Amino acid sequence: MPLTPTEKIWMDGKLVDWHEAKIHVLTHSLHYGLGVFEGIRAYPTSAGPGVFRLSAHIHRLFQGAHILGLTIPYTEDELIAAVKEVVRESGLEACYIRPLVYLGYGEMGLNPMPCPVNVAVACWPWGAYLGDDGIANGIRLKVSSWARHDPRALPTAAKGTGMYVNSSLAKVEAVRAGYDEALLLTTDGHISEGTGENCFVVRRGRLLTPPPSSVGALEGITADTVTVIARDLGYEVVEAPLRRTDLFMADEAFLTGTAAEVVPIASVDDRVVGTGKPGPITTAIQEVFFKAVRGEVPEYKDWVEHVT
Ligand code: PPE
């Protein structure tokens, strides 16, 4: 999906033309990958674009920075305002929003402390991450030969930029082998997460998802959204350690993420999951999710944060 430029990118408090939003090649994070980012979506609502769970995403950005030892030189409210400004400037009703905190130009070497902490916020139109067909009919998933990095080696609770090398390795392997997405296991063989999504399994009417902190998965905001929706629909949702065979034996399974949204899993390692078609619980959750993000569900309207 090639990028479609929008008008402006927010860089350290200023709106810069998209094509002028440049950094020096000796930017610290470009070399060593110490940075933190977010992925947020805005959806069209009856009151203009609404940013879905904006405050929760900005809060996670600050928590990630705290974990990585980075001090963001703005408040959460200032970055919330920056996101709203960028979305307003874009004139888009629906977009993907990318706040990025990185170490800028200053010194080289592994001690990042002398470098300035810079912040940028961009947005652009981004369609279905795993394809419209994936959302409607399910995706083909492959268990990766790459293990998810151990939380003792890298703090997986932070959405750290350099940590995505692990996701990219897995994604490329899966795509080259003809699959839509990769699923990463922990080094001891438990399901962790997709390259950019959390994983849910449905068995005997119950939803199961791995406990993020023990399997090195990100605590997904979409996973939290889906958990609330599923419980409100009357389903039990539990965190449980899962292995790949739990996917083979599942009645239904799906992935969740801001970019990916809610995507049914049609097969794992060429084994059909359930009937191979999106199951009734997945479909029911998808239906409420896509209404909630558009501000169409009264009990979830606080999740939608308008930009004006
Ligand atoms: N795990 C990982 C590793 C991850 O990157 C994401 C989001 C999630 C789980 C789901 O989290 P949440 O968005 O809060 O539900 N991945 C972001 C980046 C994707 C990208 O290609 O870049 C996203 O979905 O925005």
Side-chain angles (χ1 to χ4, degrees):
M1 282 178 278
L3 275 171
T4 308
T6 50
E7 284 293 313
K8 301 283 184 192
I9 293 180
W10 188 98
M11 290 181 88
D12 302 308
K14 294 192 190 69
L15 286 178
V16 179
D17 287 345
W18 175 283
H19 294 286
E20 297 307 318
K22 294 173 184 167
I23 52 160
H24 198 278
V25 73
L26 295 179
T27 294
H28 194 279
S29 292
L30 189 59
H31 297 247
Y32 306 116
L34 189 61
V36 62
F37 70 101
E38 266 306 319
I40 315 172
R41 272 190 190 272
Y43 290 90
T45 78
S46 57
V51 184
F52 193 65
R53 302 198 66 179
L54 171 59
S55 308
H57 281 281
I58 295 299
H59 187 61
R60 187 172 66 185
L61 183 75
F62 276 76
Q63 285 196 321
H66 176 61
I67 291 170
L68 296 175
L70 304 173
T71 305
I72 300 178
Y74 300 97
T75 62
E76 293 192 29
D77 284 345
E78 283 169 333
L79 291 194
I80 287 170
V83 167
K84 291 183 177 179
E85 193 178 5
V86 167
V87 174
R88 270 198 315 270
E89 282 290 323
S90 77
L92 294 168
E93 287 287 309
C95 60
Y96 182 81
I97 305 151
R98 168 57 52 85
L100 172 68
V101 174
Y102 61 101
L103 289 159
Y105 176 91
E107 283 189 29
M108 272 295 155
L110 282 168
N111 175 9
M113 288 189 285
C115 291
V117 177
N118 294 128
V119 182
V121 181
C123 78
W124 61 87
W126 225 14
Y129 187 68
L130 295 171
D132 292 321
D133 184 64
I135 290 192
N137 300 311
I139 55 150
R140 294 178 64 234
L141 191 67
K142 181 190 190 302
V143 171
S144 185
S145 69
W146 294 99
R148 181 73 175 142
H149 35 59
D150 190 290
R152 289 171 301 180
L154 284 172
T156 46
K159 204 168 159 56
T161 55
M163 283 155 41
Y164 279 79
V165 171
N166 180 241
S167 287
S168 287
L169 288 170
K171 182 80 184 188
V172 168
E173 180 189 58
V175 169
R176 283 209 174 129
Y179 297 85
D180 300 307
E181 185 54 292
L183 184 77
L184 292 137
L185 305 182
T186 63
T187 47
D188 67 354
H190 287 100
I191 294 175
S192 176
E193 59 181 344
T195 65
E197 309 89 4
N198 294 108
C199 180
F200 284 81
V201 162
V202 181
R203 213 166 169 211
R204 299 188 196 100
R206 270 197 335 161
L207 280 81
L208 306 163
T209 189
S213 62
S214 6
V215 298
L218 188 72
E219 254 183 52
I221 292 166
T222 319
D224 178 68
T225 301
V226 158
T227 299
V228 172
I229 291 173
R231 287 188 178 142
D232 287 352
L233 285 170
Y235 299 111
E236 193 185 337
V237 185
V238 288
E239 285 189 356
L242 297 169
R243 290 190 181 267
R244 69 203 289 181
T245 40
D246 291 306
L247 274 168
F248 298 160
M249 297 188 297
D251 300 323
E252 305 177 28
F254 58 89
L255 297 176
T256 63
T258 298
E261 301 167 308
V262 181
V263 182
I265 301 170
S267 68
V268 181
D269 296 339
D270 301 308
R271 289 156 180 86
V272 162
V273 171
T275 62
K277 300 254 172 335
I281 297 179
T282 307
T283 312
I285 291 169
Q286 273 184 320
E287 211 181 297
V288 180
F289 175 81
F290 284 113
K291 280 189 180 146
V293 295
R294 287 173 174 74
E296 291 166 12
V297 184
E299 50 274 47
Y300 305 140
K301 71 175 183 356
D302 289 351
W303 280 339
V304 176
E305 298 173 44
H306 293 286
V307 302
T308 46

